[in-house]
Amino acid sequence: QVQLQESGGGSVQAGGSLRLSCAASGSTFTTYNMGWFRQPPGKEREFVARIARNGGNTYYAESLKGRFTMSRDNGKNTVYLQMNSLKPEDAAVYYCALDFGGGLAITTMAYDVWGQGTQVTVSS
């Protein structure tokens, strides 16, 4: 069965950039849509971005358009989240997730497999 593992988190100054990676194990990775979510301290998990299985269709939280970019490399069984112009309010644990269903799901309930998360801290 597919498993997900995030990496690439760390501490950056406001205005800096990070690229998160999510490596998947298992042979079914390329079949499914993938998403990124984040959970700031003391808040609920929230939608960041999603991407179709072939990388041809992406969808972002409105407030993040233009700063964050999601991509995938099915040959490496990996999805990415490029994060630019980071703000202190972007600090959170970031999770990748797999959606067995279709459409443009942006809720946590729609996703079926989750990674353990990677911490992102942004200092001012």
Side-chain angles (χ1 to χ4, degrees), residues 5 14 17 22-23 26-27 32 34-36 40 42-43 45 48 54 57 60 70 72 75-76 81 94 110 117-118:
Q5 179 65 61
S17 298
C22 175
S27 62
Y32 304 108
M34 297 288 295
W36 283 100
K43 298 182 179 181
R45 198 167 299 183
V48 173
N54 64 359
N57 188 9
Y60 301 91
M70 188 175 183
R72 69 191 297 163
K76 297 181 178 180
L81 184 68
Y94 283 73
T118 185

Side-chain angles (χ1 to χ4, degrees), residues 50-80:
R50 68 170 288 155
I51 191 167
R53 64 179 181 86
N54 64 359
N57 188 9
T58 54
Y59 184 81
Y60 301 91
E62 188 68 27
S63 63
L64 302 179
K65 290 180 179 178
R67 294 198 299 121
F68 288 14
T69 303
M70 188 175 183
S71 61
R72 69 191 297 163
D73 186 338
N74 288 339
K76 297 181 178 180
N77 287 332
T78 302
V79 297
Y80 305 95

